[in-house]
Amino acid sequence: MKSWILKVAVTGLTAISCFSFANSDHDAFKKAERIAWSGNYNAFTAALNQLDHPLKPYVEMAFFERHPRLKYQQQIAHFLTVYESTPLEWPVRESWLKYLKRRGKKALFIDYYQDSNDAALHCTYLQYQLELGAPKKAILEQVSDLWVVGKSQPRACNTIFNKWQQAGYLTSDRLWSRITKAAQGGQVSLLRYLKTLLPKSDAYLADLYTTVRRDPSASAGLYRYKKRNEKEAQIAVYGVRRLIWRDQKLALRAWDKLQGMFDFTEQQKDSVAYRFALALASKGHSDARFWLNKVKPEQQDAKLRQWMMSNMLKEQDWSGIAALFTGMTNLSHGQTYWLAYSYAQRGEEDRANKLWQDIASERDYYGFLAAGRLGLDVSLNTKSLDVQPSLLTKVSQAPGFKRAKALYELGRFTSARREWNYLTNTSSVAEKLAASILAAELDWYDSTIYTLAQIKAWDYVELRFPIAFEKYFSRYSKRNHVDMAWSIAIARRESSFAPDARSHANAYGLMQLLPSTARYISKQRVSKRNLLQPATNIRLGTDYLEYLKKKNQGNEMLATASYNAGYHRIKKWLPDEAIPAELWIELIPYRETRDYVKNVFAYRQVYHTRLGREGNIVAPLLEMRIGG
């Protein structure tokens, strides 16, 4: 379903296929790459000269990265100049710098060094400048930012750190700043070393920070605060801000007593009030409203306003919602929807309908809900993408595009995305749009989606919501008795159709399945490699959707929430008394799951319409009740 192609001159797309390579061409590249790895320079140059392939520079990279030598300095310098800022540069530059360091070539190291996140190389760069006569003050002033971090730095930094410390740059403020960073989210084990730098009278502070970091309830032990000074006050604030998420009763009691011990700053009090309000509202605590009201208007960000609204929705405080949002400019679609809802609950139908009318044409969850409220047709507000054929040709002939295409064909997806990101990050908006069409034609769905999002080109719906892997979604959705628009919406939300997607939680593939989930559903072990295969992943993903649908007595909204948060967690969230489904969704305590359900239903509506179906499939939520 690549109907966007019809919006541009077809001749512009011939450029895509003009450099397609056969397997034999890729085989020639891989052979040349293996020769480069071997380290035989003559064989490498001979293979390179015979190669006609977009990934020819990757053969050069393979040689120079593995075999940096002074005798190749001229060739390496040329390579680094030609491919500066591309994904090809850093592997070679890093290897070359480490080689120069091993050989003690200080001046050359300085010449070739460029800023990076590699602390060891940065420290070496500063140390070599000192040794070669650079002004001591100018160099040592740069060391502070390297030292004041919340983690241990590599041994390569020890020499320059010692000189920095001996020169008097290690002030008490810098030491405390590093202690704070290490304790509050950094490397807590670093505190053992930092403790040795404190005066003996203050060494207990590092231990106190360590104890509170590991067990926030320790912040409630008032006996721990020996001097009641500013540093102890900082630790106490850090502790109770963490404790409120674990033990609300203890945190509230501790904060009440701590205020009698310390003269907290207004900023500290405000930070505690914000964190308490957020935590208590998300936990549904009876004191939530009190703390929400303590948060100053200038601190009320979108996250807190969501919980302020949720608290009022839970209490059915329609007047409170009206007071919260009435007169506020730039309301989000969600805020507008619930402000209208509050008016309707107060019998002010005209005011409610006017606000719902304002967002009913929006292509999102709240827009579709509002359209359902008013009985209006769903509108996707899609635009046709008009790109000149000459621009398509220009982008398709860019070396970065050719390299990305070849890497995709070889299954080297990480390297391909690096090339794609380099290409789009150095392109104009018009070129990005052209690149999006080219990527879509080649079924690089995630690259298209990412690039259009990068430039906020939201209205090219056919490109942003492709009917990806249609054969598999159609086959397995039917087999498992789930709506194809639903299953493909789940995949769109989970992975943006990147088959090799892998999450921090080790979920794999298009529908982001955990190996344990796949094993449970299929009754046999499923390898991670197989989970990255689209057919297998979609089959198991739709199996899982069917399973969750049955577990939730056919309720696809609850099944959607279960897909993200887990069935057993969803069961705990069900209210004792039935409430409207749209209200239950808004009160889901996990922001990730709350947004997930909204997005999946919005995406499902888009795919429902794109598949040629009629009707508003979000509207049934208006009649649904949850719990009870």
Side-chain angles (χ1 to χ4, degrees), residues 233-251:
Q234 179 180 316
I235 297 172
V237 168
Y238 166 71
V240 294
R241 279 166 50 91
R242 295 186 68 220
L243 180 59
I244 192 65
W245 293 99
R246 302 190 183 189
D247 188 333
Q248 291 77 49
K249 185 177 180 179
L250 180 58

Side-chain angles (χ1 to χ4, degrees), residues 501-502 506-515 528 531-532 537:
R502 177 179 175 180
N506 286 324
Y508 291 82
L510 293 168
M511 299 188 74
Q512 289 292 275
L513 292 170
L514 292 168
K528 295 173 183 177
L531 281 177
L532 297 177
N537 194 278

Side-chain angles (χ1 to χ4, degrees), residues 195-209:
K195 175 184 175 179
T196 66
L197 303 178
L198 284 167
K200 288 185 177 180
S201 59
D202 288 342
Y204 78 98
L205 291 168
D207 293 332
L208 180 57
Y209 239 145

Side-chain angles (χ1 to χ4, degrees), residues 172-193:
S172 59
D173 286 345
R174 287 183 175 132
L175 174 56
W176 186 249
S177 179
R178 191 176 191 189
I179 288 173
T180 300
K181 289 182 178 181
Q184 296 189 14
Q187 186 180 349
V188 69
S189 60
L190 177 63
L191 292 174
R192 289 197 300 270
Y193 161 70

Side-chain angles (χ1 to χ4, degrees), residues 309 312-322 336-356 373 578-583 621-625:
M309 183 180 74
M312 293 174 187
L313 287 173
K314 184 178 295 184
E315 297 177 0
Q316 299 188 19
D317 182 3
W318 313 123
S319 297
I321 292 175
T336 299
Y337 182 86
W338 289 109
L339 176 58
Y341 190 95
S342 72
Y343 287 150
Q345 294 300 312
R346 295 165 63 187
E348 301 178 63
E349 297 291 342
D350 290 343
R351 295 183 75 181
N353 290 339
K354 184 179 184 304
L355 287 175
W356 279 326
R373 285 272 175 194
I579 63 173
E582 58 183 326
L583 184 57
L621 294 176
L622 301 173
E623 306 299 326
M624 186 187 301
R625 296 183 71 81

